[in-house]
Amino acid sequence: MTDEMMSLRTLLEKSSDADLLREMIGFTAHRLMELEMDGLTGADYGERSPDRINQRNGYRDRLWQTRAGTVELRIPKLRKGSYFPGFLEPRRLAEKALTAVVQEAYVHGVSTRSVDDLVRAMGMNGISKSQVSRLCEEIDEKVKAFLARPLEGDWPYLWIDATYMKVRFSGRIVSVAIIVAVGVNSDGRREVLGMDIGPSEAETFWTEFLRKLARRGLRGVKLVISDAHEGLKAAIAKVLHASWQRCRVHFMRDVLAHAGRQGRRVVSAFIGTAFVQDDAESARVQWRQIADQLRPKVPKLAVLMDDAEADVLAFMSFPKDHRAKIHSTNPIERLNGEIKRRTDVVGIFPNEDAITRLVGAILLEQNDEWAVQRGRYMSLETIAPLSDDPIVKLPAVAA
């Protein structure tokens, strides 16, 4: 086993992203069994071929205990003879090798030779390099299909945030921006809408990212919540024609940097009174009063408040029940934190495709978790009025 594969195993044992790995291990194990069955039967599943030498005969269930947790396997059966997947014995070595196959597939790109070596080390010499490539490509296709899916309906709220990762490019190690967008639709449900990779957070990059979302069907956006990026703000106005909410948490950090260590608590309490007002106009009046009170002693802070008033208080014009969730990028920052936690074990990515593979898989996993949650992120009653589509009411039935 090469040093590179040993390092992959070490990363795996240190990683705690068991849910994602368990799903990927199960998917890969299933595909490996199907490919092995193709070799034993002489034909693909359901294919009519004169070269066929055996028939399939259903499946038997088996639980496979791995370091990533219990994986449910459906082991194919043959009509003549018996079949047992080679990667299950010996368990410890094969499990690590199979997990390394998964790691290789979605972290280090589709490397046919190295993946093929791992498969052969598992005693599965009947699988060709083309089949190994197809196996890895199917994992990619699953992620790419998710990131390119059509977006249907209205999406009143959109959170956008960026994080940075290191990747090898033309023999150098550079930082690239990973942009993630999360939206809430007119049913009050959260979804991951997309991601992209760029050299920086320039306006051209933001504009192209939003245009991609629009081409996939993004519409009905009323408010975009993000950090203070002038390029993104310009792109929002150009592409979405929506209001922009400057993240309140990030703004308060900038404010407190001007307040001094002793005055931070007082300034934070003062500004906080504007956020608890009942309506947008009351919040703006309170905001200006606070700025005027601070102006004699902390003029830079007052100017900062003057410039940011409209952007920081944009959320006050929306339903009161939504304000706690739309005043900052906290909802998407938690997702970015999970992305960083899982990608830190990789360190430097070999290429951008590897970033898309791993980050895309994490986003797909999170989106699935949101989809099965019973409760809506925002109630249907409070978010329905924000939709551009009129609510159709059926006429009452005469008694």
Side-chain angles (χ1 to χ4, degrees), residues 37-322:
M37 286 293 286
D38 291 345
L40 293 174
T41 59
D44 292 340
Y45 179 77
E47 179 187 14
R48 295 182 180 273
S49 172
D51 299 326
R52 181 179 289 279
I53 57 177
N54 207 337
Q55 300 284 336
R56 295 167 180 259
N57 191 29
Y59 297 86
R60 66 180 184 275
D61 296 330
R62 171 172 174 153
L63 298 179
W64 186 24
Q65 301 297 330
T66 74
R67 284 169 178 75
T70 302
V71 176
E72 297 180 3
L73 297 179
R74 299 188 69 215
I75 301 177
K77 296 191 295 184
L78 290 171
R79 184 163 295 177
K80 299 177 183 179
S82 61
Y83 164 72
F84 189 76
F87 61 81
L88 289 181
E89 296 293 346
R91 177 177 296 179
R92 181 175 295 272
L93 179 60
E95 176 197 325
K96 287 187 176 181
L98 178 57
T99 305
V101 169
V102 177
Q103 291 278 28
E104 183 76 13
Y106 76 89
V107 173
H108 280 268
V110 180
S111 177
T112 302
R113 182 170 58 184
S114 55
V115 175
D116 190 43
D117 289 343
L118 287 169
V119 173
R120 291 181 183 277
M122 295 157 62
M124 303 177 70
N125 296 322
I127 298 179
S128 66
K129 291 185 178 181
S130 63
Q131 289 173 318
V132 173
S133 291
R134 187 174 69 185
L135 166 64
C136 297
E137 288 169 1
E138 286 182 2
I139 296 176
D140 278 350
E141 289 173 2
K142 186 177 181 181
V143 170
K144 290 178 180 177
F146 165 68
L147 294 176
R149 72 194 190 282
L151 303 176
E152 300 178 351
D154 288 349
W155 301 87
Y157 297 126
L158 182 67
W159 289 264
I160 302 180
D161 202 8
T163 187
Y164 281 82
M165 297 178 189
K166 295 186 181 299
V167 64
R168 296 188 185 278
F169 181 77
S170 299
R172 299 179 295 116
I173 299 174
V174 298
S175 292
V176 291
I178 315 300
I179 309 300
V180 177
V182 171
V184 169
N185 59 23
S186 53
D187 287 333
R189 303 274 183 189
R190 263 190 304 179
E191 288 191 25
V192 175
L193 301 188
M195 67 159 287
D196 208 345
I197 303 172
S200 67
E201 298 178 71
E203 179 182 343
T204 53
F205 176 49
W206 286 117
T207 301
E208 181 57 28
F209 176 62
L210 294 180
R211 283 175 175 167
K212 287 180 182 178
L213 294 179
R215 286 194 291 268
R216 288 170 49 207
L218 179 66
R219 63 181 176 87
V221 179
K222 298 295 188 296
L223 183 69
V224 181
I225 305 99
S226 75
D227 197 1
H229 297 290
E230 290 300 325
L232 174 57
K233 188 176 179 180
I236 292 169
K238 182 185 302 182
V239 180
L240 300 179
H241 309 291
S243 299
W244 176 61
Q245 169 64 40
R246 180 175 178 177
C247 175
R248 200 175 84 183
V249 175
H250 286 86
F251 171 76
M252 289 303 297
R253 291 173 187 166
D254 295 338
V255 165
L256 297 182
H258 293 282
R261 182 172 299 179
Q262 295 182 348
R264 290 176 182 175
R265 183 174 298 180
V266 174
V267 170
S268 179
F270 278 178
I271 297 178
T273 60
F275 300 140
V276 297
Q277 300 299 313
D278 292 331
D279 54 69
E281 182 57 33
S282 299
R284 285 192 288 267
V285 171
Q286 183 70 6
W287 184 272
R288 292 165 191 161
Q289 290 178 352
I290 296 168
D292 291 339
Q293 291 176 7
L294 295 173
R295 203 176 307 277
K297 293 185 178 180
V298 197
K300 290 184 179 180
L301 195 156
V303 172
L304 184 63
M305 291 185 64
D306 292 339
D307 295 339
E309 176 185 334
D311 299 331
V312 177
L313 296 180
F315 77 104
M316 292 294 299
S317 300
F318 290 83
K320 191 172 184 179
D321 292 340
H322 301 171

Side-chain angles (χ1 to χ4, degrees), residues 347-385:
I348 301 171
F349 284 84
N351 50 55
E352 290 187 0
D353 288 341
I355 296 178
T356 300
R357 182 172 300 114
L358 180 53
V359 176
I362 296 170
L363 295 176
L364 173 58
E365 179 189 49
Q366 179 61 76
N367 198 74
D368 288 346
E369 289 183 7
W370 287 341
V372 298
Q373 288 179 351
R374 296 182 63 183
R376 290 179 169 85
Y377 189 63
M378 295 178 178
S379 70
L380 187 60
E381 293 78 9
T382 60
I383 202 169

